[in-house]
Amino acid sequence: MLSKTLQNAFNDQINHELSSSYLYLSMAAYAESLNLPGFANWLKIQTKEESGHAMKLYKFVNERGGRVELQKIEQPPLEFKSPTALFEEVLKHERKITVLINKLYEVALKEKDYAAQVLLHEFITEQVEEEASASAILETLKMAGEKGHALIMMDRQLARRGQN
Ligand code: MG
């Protein structure tokens, strides 16, 4: 049985994952508005991944006899300054999520909930990948710039995510 403290912490994290999913969908809509379908593709895959994370936590709370309580999701930003600024936000957001996952893990440690710790190992590993991929894309954007050809090449690269 999940402790009340851990149940609350998991419910908060479900909200963070769903909020992330919603944020990435708003970012995808921004990319679509710039006619960057590759960027939008990458961001829509991100949206699905985040809702997948929320569902994993949802399943775990239920399996452990807890009660999932959904919370309010804030409106995400609609506009970003540029594709590079957008990926700066992606990286910043993933770093924030890493901190939240680590805090959740600390609660699982305090509560001596070993099953929760094992589940969260996957999330901790995932965050390393999330930060690394956002950072790599951001660095390329900074290097290549946002003018014509470079941006089109980047869009083509991001269009390939999920195709192999
Ligand atoms: Mg996530």
Side-chain angles (χ1 to χ4, degrees), residues 13 17 20 49-50 53-54 94 97 101 123 126-127 130:
Q13 192 60 35
E17 300 292 345
S20 298
E49 279 195 12
E50 300 307 340
H53 296 160
E94 287 304 331
I97 295 296
I101 293 287
F123 282 74
E126 170 79 14
Q127 281 313 113
E130 295 274 26

Side-chain angles (χ1 to χ4, degrees), residues 124-141:
I124 292 166
T125 307
E126 170 79 14
Q127 281 313 113
V128 176
E129 280 172 38
E130 295 274 26
E131 285 191 34
S133 68
S135 176
I137 294 164
L138 178 60
E139 287 313 309
T140 307
L141 277 169

Side-chain angles (χ1 to χ4, degrees), residues 17-31:
E17 300 292 345
L18 290 174
S19 297
S20 298
S21 178
Y22 209 45
L23 170 66
Y24 286 126
L25 192 59
S26 189
M27 288 176 165
Y30 166 78

Side-chain angles (χ1 to χ4, degrees), residues 95-142:
R95 284 178 176 156
K96 189 183 111 185
I97 295 296
T98 300
V99 171
L100 292 168
I101 293 287
N102 290 345
K103 279 190 183 153
L104 179 57
Y105 189 74
E106 280 169 31
V107 179
L109 286 176
K110 255 192 207 154
E111 296 291 306
K112 295 190 165 52
D113 191 314
Y114 302 108
Q117 290 167 32
V118 171
L119 177 86
L120 291 172
H121 286 166
E122 191 189 314
F123 282 74
I124 292 166
T125 307
E126 170 79 14
Q127 281 313 113
V128 176
E129 280 172 38
E130 295 274 26
E131 285 191 34
S133 68
S135 176
I137 294 164
L138 178 60
E139 287 313 309
T140 307
L141 277 169
K142 278 183 181 167

Side-chain angles (χ1 to χ4, degrees), residues 69-83:
E69 289 168 7
L70 297 181
Q71 304 164 10
K72 185 180 171 182
I73 294 173
E74 297 295 333
Q75 183 182 24
L78 303 178
E79 300 294 340
F80 301 85
K81 284 199 182 103
S82 66

